[in-house]
Amino acid sequence: MGDPARKADLFDALARTGKALASGKRLELLDLLAQGERSVDSLAKAAGLGLTTTSAHLQALRQAGLVATRRDGVRVYYRLAGDDVAALYTLLQQVARTHLAATERARTAYLGPEDTEHLTRGELLDRVKAGTATVIDVRPVEEYTAGHIPGALSIPLDQLEARLAEIPTGTEVVAYCRGANCVFAHDAVRLLTARGRTARRLVDGMLEWRLADLPVAADAA
C-alpha cells in the first residue's frame, strides 16, 4: 500500500498543469506560442491583453512548466517548453470538441458556417508536388517568419484583398493559418471565392503541420 499523503502530493502536482490550463486566455497564449517564440509585448497585442495581465498569465504557464523563456537585453521571449505541450493543447481541443457540445457550438459561431472547401495535409502535399496549387499563409508576418510551409506565400489576411494580383492565376489557391480553430483561412477562402478564384483551406493549420513532423521553412532573423 502506498503512502496516502504522497499519493495526494502526486495528484496535486499533476493538478498544477490542469490549473494552468484552466483559463481561456492562457490557452490563447499557448495557441500563439505554438506558432513560434514571441515577446511579451507581441503576445499582449495579439491576445488583446495588457502587459501586466499577459505577464501574469505567462508566469502561471511557466510555473506549470508549459513555457520557457529567454532574455535579450530588457526584452523577455517566451516559447512552448516542448512539442509535447503543443500535442497536449491539440488533444485538449479534440477532447473538448468530442465530449462537450458547447465547444462545437462556440467553434461554429466563431469560424462561421461550413461554407468553405478544405483539404488534408496529404492532399496539399500532392497538389504542391504536382504544381497545381498556390499556397498562401494568411497569418501575421512574424508567425510566417518563425516557420511556414515551404513555398508558401506570406499574404496576411488583412492584406489579402489588396494583394490579389500577386497570386498566380490558373492554379487552385490553398490558404492556411494557425490551426484547426483559426478563422483566418476560412475568411481568406470566402474572400477569394467571392473574387472568382478557386480556393480551399487546409483542414487544420501550422500547429498540426508541425506536430505531423512535416517540412517547415523559416526566414533568417
Side-chain angles (χ1 to χ4, degrees), residues 46-115:
L49 296 170
L51 283 172
T52 301
T53 302
T54 302
S55 294
H57 282 311
L58 290 169
Q59 282 302 309
L61 292 170
R62 187 168 183 264
Q63 289 167 7
L66 297 173
V67 299
T69 63
R70 73 174 177 89
R71 183 178 291 275
D72 184 3
V74 297
R75 181 164 290 188
V76 177
Y77 290 86
Y78 280 80
R79 65 184 183 277
L80 295 186
D83 289 342
D84 52 352
V85 178
L88 173 64
Y89 171 58
T90 301
L91 183 59
L92 177 80
Q93 295 179 67
Q94 294 171 354
V95 170
R97 288 185 63 189
T98 300
H99 300 287
L100 187 63
T103 303
E104 193 61 29
R105 289 195 297 269
R107 184 173 185 271
T108 300
Y110 176 57
L111 298 179
E114 288 290 337
D115 58 351

Side-chain angles (χ1 to χ4, degrees), residues 132-204:
T132 60
T134 297
V135 183
I136 62 172
D137 184 320
V138 294
R139 299 173 299 160
V141 172
E142 68 176 306
E143 297 178 18
Y144 173 89
T145 300
H148 55 269
I149 294 175
L153 302 176
S154 175
I155 306 182
L157 180 62
D158 59 1
Q159 301 175 21
L160 179 58
E161 186 155 24
R163 296 174 59 186
L164 285 176
E166 297 178 29
I167 303 174
T169 58
T171 63
E172 180 180 50
V173 183
V174 180
Y176 74 90
C177 54
R178 291 168 177 158
N181 290 330
C182 180
V183 74
F184 298 158
H186 292 257
D187 287 346
V189 172
R190 290 176 184 126
L191 189 155
L192 289 163
T193 302
R195 299 299 181 271
R197 304 298 295 269
T198 300
R200 297 183 184 221
R201 60 180 172 82
L202 184 61
V203 70
D204 37 47

